[in-house]
Amino acid sequence: ILNVEQSPQSLHVQEGDSTNFTCSFPSSNFYALHWYRWETAKSPEALFVMTLNGDEKKKGRISATLNTKEGYSYLYIKGSQPEDSATYLCAFTGGSYIPTFGRGTSLIVHP
Amino acid sequence: SQTIHQWPATLVQPVGSPLSLECTVEGTSNPNLYWYRQAAGRGLQLLFYSVGIGQISSEVPQNLSASRPQDRQFILSSKKLLLSDSGFYLCAWSVNGGSEAFFGQGTRLTVV
């Protein structure tokens, strides 16, 4: 069983704060790293896919970086808004092409 | 476009009763199919995956089983539910050889 860790487990921030979370994964046999956003009562939806060491992706106020050599990825949210409240999941895919998910970071943004 | 259907959305079942959750995918052929579970306070745990009809791999020994009778149909079953089977079950698919997972709407199972 692959070990994909996310930290922190939960995070409470004020509207306007910037925040970041971490995903760590095996540094060998890497294929892709996905970030998903999971809102309550909805299905997880993909935010980013990163495949190359040093990849950086950005969508609006949200961005992500990837370091495959040391096995971590960061997700950043700039100027958090209440609508950013969700659980953020990362998923590591290795040579088997089977996504292994972390436990997620639950973000709550207070107005 | 591809769509994934999962039902039922919610289910309350007594301990010892059987279970059948169904998932179908439209608009693609030969997908990889997955069943995940989120137990209370935990992340998504991979239960089963399938790369083809009749091919099922189990990640965690448990009270559940899965079957893939058709290319785009994935079924999660149990003969006798336990209290610990309660949780949120998600079906997902990915392109064969791809990495992004596309999820169904989930089933909230409560075993009482």
Side-chain angles (χ1 to χ4, degrees), chain B residues 56-110:
Chain B
I56 309 294
S57 296
S58 174
E59 286 293 297
V60 182
Q62 58 216 325
N63 186 41
L64 303 169
S65 62
S67 61
R68 185 171 178 174
Q70 300 179 44
D71 181 44
R72 290 169 287 178
Q73 184 185 28
F74 206 24
I75 298 172
L76 183 70
S77 304
S78 173
K79 291 182 180 179
K80 288 186 178 181
L81 284 169
L82 306 172
L83 287 174
S84 57
D85 291 324
S86 294
F88 189 66
Y89 290 80
L90 279 166
C91 178
W93 73 274
S94 68
V95 172
N96 204 327
S99 59
E100 182 175 348
F102 301 91
F103 290 88
Q105 290 298 106
T107 297
R108 173 73 59 193
L109 172 65
T110 304

